[in-house]
Amino acid sequence: MNTAMNYLTVLFVFALLAAPSLYGIAHDRRIDRQLRQARQAQRDAERPSRRAEFTTVA
């Protein structure tokens, strides 16, 4: 029983130490995904659509 409590204590301390780091990684990944989506939306807005290419009069 003592050995099991020791393992659980070590796992608990590890979780307490690792939690802020894992939260930060998840936060950074979310920001990266948002930036990537914004960049893609900006590229799509700058690129003329195919329909616009065919309807222009030269």
Side-chain angles (χ1 to χ4, degrees), residues 14-57:
F14 176 76
L16 282 177
L17 292 174
S21 173
L22 296 174
Y23 178 77
I25 290 170
H27 185 261
D28 287 347
R29 289 178 59 98
R30 186 186 65 192
I31 290 174
D32 289 343
R33 184 172 48 248
Q34 289 173 346
L35 288 172
R36 195 171 30 242
Q37 288 174 348
R39 229 180 282 127
Q40 183 64 35
Q42 185 179 16
R43 277 191 218 125
D44 291 344
E46 290 174 353
R47 186 181 323 149
S49 67
R50 288 181 164 227
R51 183 171 286 168
E53 291 175 8
F54 290 117
T55 58
T56 57
V57 177

